[in-house]
Amino acid sequence: MYVLGVWDGHDAGAALIDGDKIVYAANEERFTRRKLEMKFPFNSIMGALAYANIKPTDIEHVAFSTTELTKTTERVFPYMREYYYLFRRRKIPQPRFENFRHNLKYTLTPIGILPLCNTISASYIARNLRHMGFRNFKLHRVEHHVAHAATAAFTAPFRKGLIITLDGLGDGLSGSISVLENGELDRRLKIKAKDSLGIFFEQVTNIVGMRELEDEGKVMAMADYSYPFDYESNKFKDFFRVEGTVLRAIHSPVKQFAMLRRAAWQMPREQFAYMAQQVLENTMVKLISNATDRYSIGDVAFAGGIFANVKANMRVRRLETVKHWYVFPHMGDGGIAMGAALWAAHELTGSSSFQFDAYLGHDYSEDETESIVKADRQFTSAREDRSEQAKHAAELINEGNYVLWFQGRMEYGPRALGNRSILAPSSSEAVKDKLNMYVKKREWFQPFAPSLLESDAGVLLEYDDKGADRYMTMTYIVRPGMYDVTRSVVNVDHSARPQMVEGENKLYMELLKSVKRHTGHGIVLNTSFNLHGYPIVMNPADALKVMKETGTKHMFINGITVTNRKGI
Ligand SMILES: [Fe+2]
């Protein structure tokens, strides 16, 4: 029995489940090449069907999520959604009535689910599916935070735990606390949209001149460059109150924005970012600490966009009451299609545990890849056994080069995890600068992250036994003796956001082991395989385009070793 999950909002996408197996999941941005695409995910749905080799009529259950007033309005008037997308991504100039739009948005978005909106949204989703050839399917509506919670609960490595969601907002809520026990997910507490930590950080991002819903990670990174100061002197420390497990925002989102903007005028951007990050971390730590105490549960799983904040996650992990943790790797709204499908599958079959790995997207055969490579005379290519490619790539990395690494199924979620990655030595400042100059063009304060062998995590990092981080979901402090090894992947505060690699990606593990044979440590710089401002590459044609535009010399792609004649 197939269950298809569909999400048509920020970072739209689709996920396909068969029984308790997650068959496929991808986001629309990879197909349309527009980062965090918001349109109905026609391409992702077709991708899922093609991967599973089934027809639309084979799908009996479709799950979708989020029927709040503003989401429903966007479904009825899609040009509003497109306008917001273009505006948010700075593709069109700021309109004169921006203040009015901003205040209207934060007044209307906290309004939750209205019965009429359920009907209108369901009919919009069904109409699009019928247009694609779907027939006789049952439509399941899943509330936004139930979908987030399902991703964390049903893919977590433990069967009893506390499930906490925190985000901007969805269906009138900005968070929830549930208990997973005996295969059931029991919601104990809701956090209203008006009390949102996500809206707070979204507004801070906007005020420092960055793109809300996209650049929050940059704000977090910039905060590292402020001079530290005492929490008591933080002007925003009273913006939130935590009493037990109740989180309250003191001001409405509109008033909060006005206050933040006034304060930001009087201080450097990095200080403003630091203060906001401090409020976010301290509030999260207090809330989660109180929740683990109240329910006496130390195994905690998280989802929702707030948990993209890897620094705050590190603080949470350090809590004594947190014994084991898990962050669903596609924690933001990009994971909602998967959450809706998981919840519907859980309700239909009773299953509460679905085997998850991050490699859920498209794959391309060696023949297919080779024919695309050979069509362009700028490249020379040769077939090479993939194990040999791992060794060959490791040699080039150890010699100080960066390489493009494209193997197997595309990763699901925001991070490149060794299948669509750009890899470089972790110890070289020079290669980091080269990457930034020619390929990534990142803000100067944005760090790169490492992939490392899980067996080396304790040697390189202040690592505990609370759970391995396979998906780069939080930072760890690098051990003092390891600064030279991690020069290109460490933040100014000596933290790093690692992917710990074990058996789930054998080829990538081979590469790391080959690096280790030369250097003594199984660690590389791993950054996503994309052009600045674009989504991670999906297919070989996308990969060749990046290689060409960045003048990169070496690429290892599905058993084909490619050299760029014009590479530098
Ligand atoms: Fe969300």
Side-chain angles (χ1 to χ4, degrees):
M1 183 188 65
Y2 288 106
V3 180
L4 178 72
V6 173
W7 166 239
D8 60 328
H10 175 73
D11 202 7
L16 184 66
I17 294 176
D18 180 11
D20 55 8
K21 184 175 172 8
I22 301 168
V23 179
Y24 180 95
N27 290 84
E28 197 68 1
E29 62 163 27
R30 306 289 165 93
F31 297 86
T32 64
R33 309 308 301 155
R34 298 201 320 166
K35 207 169 176 183
L36 303 168
E37 181 63 90
M38 289 182 86
K39 289 180 176 170
F40 190 85
F42 290 108
N43 296 291
S44 313
I45 295 171
M46 293 308 288
L49 298 179
Y51 188 86
N53 197 20
I54 56 174
K55 302 186 290 299
T57 46
D58 294 327
I59 305 274
E60 293 169 52
H61 299 277
V62 180
F64 77 105
S65 176
T66 317
T67 51
E68 63 196 18
L69 176 67
T70 44
K71 184 89 213 81
T72 306
T73 309
E74 281 175 5
R75 284 174 176 137
V76 178
F77 304 107
Y79 67 87
M80 285 175 64
R81 176 164 54 185
E82 180 65 8
Y83 177 82
Y84 177 62
Y85 178 85
L86 295 173
F87 165 73
R88 191 188 64 70
R89 300 217 69 227
R90 310 285 201 267
K91 301 293 180 192
I92 54 174
Q94 189 179 50
R96 269 181 300 174
F97 51 88
E98 168 48 15
N99 273 354
F100 172 73
R101 186 209 65 81
H102 184 273
N103 290 347
L104 188 66
K105 176 189 166 187
Y106 288 105
T107 305
L108 293 180
T109 45
I111 298 173
I113 299 172
L114 306 172
L116 183 62
C117 292
N118 285 342
T119 313
I120 294 170
S121 280
S123 111
Y124 165 85
I125 300 285
R127 194 182 65 217
N128 277 320
L129 291 168
R130 278 197 289 274
H131 180 69
M132 296 180 75
F134 284 75
R135 300 284 180 270
N136 301 322
F137 56 91
K138 183 170 174 1
L139 204 53
H140 303 256
R141 181 178 63 79
V142 181
E143 190 234 86
H144 190 88
H145 277 267
V146 169
H148 274 315
T151 58
F154 300 151
T155 65
F158 34 80
R159 302 306 334 125
K160 180 182 175 187
L162 203 58
I163 311 300
I164 300 181
T165 66
L166 290 170
D167 70 355
L169 58 84
D171 283 339
L173 301 182
S174 66
S176 67
I177 299 179
S178 311
V179 173
L180 173 72
E181 195 168 15
N182 302 323
E184 293 301 325
L185 188 60
D186 181 19
R187 182 183 279 178
R188 303 290 174 90
L189 196 126
K190 298 175 187 176
I191 301 167
K192 288 183 182 158
K194 71 174 185 56
D195 299 314
S196 172
L197 275 171
I199 289 179
F200 166 73
F201 216 70
E202 184 180 316
Q203 295 193 330
V204 166
T205 306
N206 181 317
I207 289 166
V208 296
M210 295 185 190
R211 293 167 295 195
E212 61 200 32
L213 305 180
E214 185 167 342
D215 290 340
E216 279 74 5
K218 291 185 190 173
V219 176
M220 180 195 73
M222 190 164 63
D224 281 343
Y225 288 86
S226 164
Y227 61 87
F229 51 86
D230 189 48
Y231 193 50
E232 282 313 303
S233 18
N234 189 322
K235 287 185 177 183
F236 315 135
K237 73 176 186 331
D238 296 325
F239 274 30
F240 291 92
R241 188 173 300 146
V242 179
E243 282 161 3
T245 46
V246 176
L247 169 66
R248 294 248 183 276
I250 302 307
H251 311 291
S252 72
V254 171
K255 188 172 178 200
Q256 189 181 78
F257 184 74
M259 292 173 76
L260 285 168
R261 197 154 61 168
R262 263 200 305 278
W265 183 252
Q266 297 176 310
M267 63 181 83
R269 284 200 317 168
E270 60 276 16
Q271 185 185 339
F272 182 66
Y274 182 91
M275 287 165 73
Q277 176 70 18
Q278 205 179 36
V279 168
L280 181 81
E281 288 183 13
N282 288 2
T283 310
M284 279 172 75
V285 161
K286 197 165 178 191
L287 178 71
I288 294 165
S289 171
N290 290 353
T292 49
D293 273 346
R294 175 173 171 182
Y295 298 105
S296 303
I297 299 175
D299 293 355
V300 198
F302 307 101
I306 285 283
F307 294 103
N309 194 304
V310 292
K311 286 282 180 68
N313 291 352
M314 176 170 73
R315 291 270 314 272
V316 170
R317 188 188 74 243
R318 286 171 166 178
L319 282 170
E320 255 181 46
T321 52
V322 171
K323 302 300 176 203
H324 297 100
W325 60 267
Y326 168 73
V327 179
F328 180 67
H330 210 351
M331 64 292 276
D333 281 359
I336 286 288
M338 172 85 77
L342 287 169
W343 183 257
H346 165 71
E347 293 221 296
L348 288 162
T349 66
S351 181
S352 63
S353 180
F354 296 79
Q355 204 174 0
F356 176 85
D357 72 38
Y359 307 102
L360 292 169
H362 265 62
D363 193 5
Y364 301 86
S365 70
E366 291 185 4
D367 289 345
E368 201 176 357
T369 306
E370 191 173 39
S371 70
I372 293 167
V373 173
K374 283 194 179 302
D376 194 324
R377 296 179 62 82
Q378 187 173 322
F379 306 109
T380 58
S381 64
R383 290 234 179 189
E384 194 176 18
D385 177 79
R386 294 197 195 201
S387 269
E388 288 305 314
Q389 282 198 313
K391 287 185 199 133
H392 189 170
E395 265 170 41
L396 287 168
I397 292 167
N398 288 332
E399 286 165 12
N401 301 290
Y402 78 88
V403 302
L404 306 178
W405 181 254
F406 181 121
Q407 304 285 350
R409 296 187 73 178
M410 181 175 67
E411 297 91 337
Y412 170 66
R415 308 280 176 232
L417 297 168
N419 279 13
R420 303 285 188 279
S421 289
I422 300 174
L423 307 178
S426 63
S427 55
S428 165
E429 287 270 15
V431 79
K432 184 173 111 175
D433 293 342
K434 189 173 174 187
L435 266 178
N436 258 335
M437 191 171 293
Y438 296 106
V439 188
K440 301 299 288 191
K441 301 184 174 106
R442 297 157 75 115
E443 306 265 12
W444 62 268
F445 50 79
Q446 262 192 291
F448 287 104
S451 291
L452 49 91
L453 290 170
E454 191 188 323
S455 51
D456 281 359
V459 177
L460 295 159
L461 311 166
E462 288 177 6
Y463 180 52
D464 50 44
D465 59 355
K466 293 185 176 184
D469 199 335
R470 307 235 183 274
Y471 311 110
M472 290 187 172
T473 57
M474 62 180 71
T475 51
Y476 295 75
I477 298 298
V478 172
R479 288 195 184 280
M482 293 296 155
Y483 295 158
D484 281 351
V485 183
T486 55
R487 238 178 265 146
S488 62
V489 293
V490 74
N491 304 341
V492 68
D493 66 347
H494 300 306
S495 69
R497 185 196 69 202
Q499 174 198 3
M500 298 178 190
V501 182
E502 248 309 306
E504 75 283 354
N505 191 336
K506 290 196 168 55
L507 188 63
Y508 196 33
M509 204 171 153
E510 276 185 50
L511 185 148
L512 287 165
K513 282 183 172 170
S514 294
V515 168
K516 184 174 180 169
R517 274 194 286 275
H518 289 84
T519 63
H521 300 286
I523 177 170
V524 294
L525 177 158
N526 170 14
T527 186
S528 52
F529 190 161
N530 60 337
L531 283 174
H532 178 71
Y534 286 86
I536 296 176
V537 298
M538 184 174 82
N539 57 38
D542 297 336
L544 286 170
K545 187 169 178 238
V546 173
M547 194 177 190
K548 209 174 216 176
E549 291 197 15
T550 57
T552 302
K553 188 133 183 114
H554 308 285
M555 173 158 68
F556 298 88
I557 176 165
N558 288 341
I560 318 293
T561 299
V562 185
T563 308
N564 184 352
R565 292 180 207 272
K566 296 182 185 170
I568 46 171

